[in-house]
Amino acid sequence: MKKIIFSLVMLMCIFKFSSAEEKGLARIVKLQGLETYFLTEPLRSYEVVFEVGNGIKATSMLTGGLINEGLSEKMAQFVKKATKSAKKNGKSIDALLYSGGKRVVAIKFTEEATLENKGIGRVRRIQGVEVYALSEPLRDYNIVCKKNGGFKGKSALTGGLINNSMEQDLNQFVKGIMKKAKKAKSEVDAVIYSSGKSAIGIKFKQ
């Protein structure tokens, strides 16, 4: 009987430890075959190969700043430029890492991939909640609310010459989700952005 109780206690401890370990961890999506860590730190060690800037957005320019690309579209442009630059300069890269501003870095992993770390990263918190941009939480969750992207004042005022950074766009999503959840008297643990111009607020299952 004592052995059975001990085994049950051990299983409960392992389950709680696993759940705690998964907090803030995300599975990264690939764009054009390249892993994209968006405000997310890879679990594997890496080295920076080169940096990539974004430049002026043609869509924003043509519409006077009234229409801007979504975050996934902006990141896809970075991927395209990085892949082109790597091929041109004969360099090998494994992923792109975006930490803020209007530049990303192309990286090469220096640590062997395992089932536990391949394509996995730890996300950043914004306004107190975990933010999963172009990634999916490892934990199960329920959707609380949805927020569509709004009007970009900076871009419109400058005729499309100056646009928000991707981090600023994501901050607007988080702010909108938090406001919507508060109005509905609901709580959210995290925000997920997958594609397009909308994001969702979620609550993790216990």
Side-chain angles (χ1 to χ4, degrees):
M1 184 67 179
K2 288 183 178 180
K3 288 184 178 180
I4 294 174
I5 293 174
F6 177 76
S7 296
L8 288 172
V9 171
M10 286 298 293
L11 284 172
M12 288 175 66
C13 289
I14 291 171
F15 176 75
K16 287 183 179 179
F17 177 75
S18 298
S19 298
E21 282 293 291
E22 288 185 351
K23 286 184 178 180
L25 293 184
R27 186 168 300 283
I28 304 303
V29 302
K30 285 186 176 183
L31 292 178
Q32 301 170 39
L34 205 61
E35 291 179 8
T36 53
Y37 292 82
F38 194 111
L39 298 181
T40 302
E41 186 65 21
L43 291 190
R44 297 165 66 188
S45 300
Y46 62 87
E47 60 182 12
V48 175
V49 182
F50 58 83
E51 291 188 358
V52 184
N54 62 350
I56 296 175
K57 297 292 182 294
T59 302
S60 185
M61 282 283 289
L62 291 171
T63 61
L66 296 178
I67 299 177
N68 296 275
E69 294 90 344
L71 288 175
S72 55
E73 294 170 309
K74 290 180 179 179
M75 198 65 189
Q77 290 177 1
F78 275 119
V79 172
K80 186 177 180 180
K81 290 183 70 174
T83 303
K84 186 177 180 180
S85 178
K87 186 177 181 180
K88 182 180 178 180
N89 295 290
K91 295 181 178 180
S92 175
I93 59 175
D94 295 322
L96 286 190
L97 174 62
Y98 174 72
S99 300
K102 297 185 178 182
R103 301 182 69 82
V104 301
V105 293
I107 63 174
K108 183 76 177 174
F109 291 116
T110 57
E111 184 179 350
E112 197 72 29
T114 65
L115 290 175
E116 290 76 26
N117 65 25
K118 184 176 174 59
I120 305 296
R122 188 170 298 280
V123 302
R124 187 182 300 182
R125 280 180 172 269
I126 297 177
Q127 298 181 42
V129 297
E130 296 171 2
V131 179
Y132 296 81
L134 301 178
S135 63
E136 184 71 14
L138 296 189
R139 302 159 65 194
D140 292 330
Y141 60 85
N142 293 314
I143 297 174
V144 177
C145 58
K146 182 179 180 179
K147 171 65 178 174
N148 293 318
F151 180 75
K152 302 294 189 300
K154 184 189 296 183
S155 182
L157 288 172
T158 61
L161 290 174
I162 301 176
N163 297 284
N164 283 347
S165 69
M166 294 190 291
E167 185 179 13
Q168 289 170 324
D169 284 347
L170 197 57
N171 266 283
Q172 289 185 357
F173 275 127
V174 175
K175 186 177 180 180
I177 288 287
M178 299 300 286
K179 186 177 180 180
K180 200 167 186 178
K182 186 177 180 180
K183 189 176 181 180
K185 296 183 179 180
S186 301
E187 291 185 359
V188 296
D189 295 324
V191 172
I192 298 177
Y193 170 81
S194 299
S195 63
K197 296 183 179 180
S198 63
I200 58 173
I202 65 169
K203 185 77 178 173
F204 290 116
K205 294 181 179 180
Q206 298 299 320

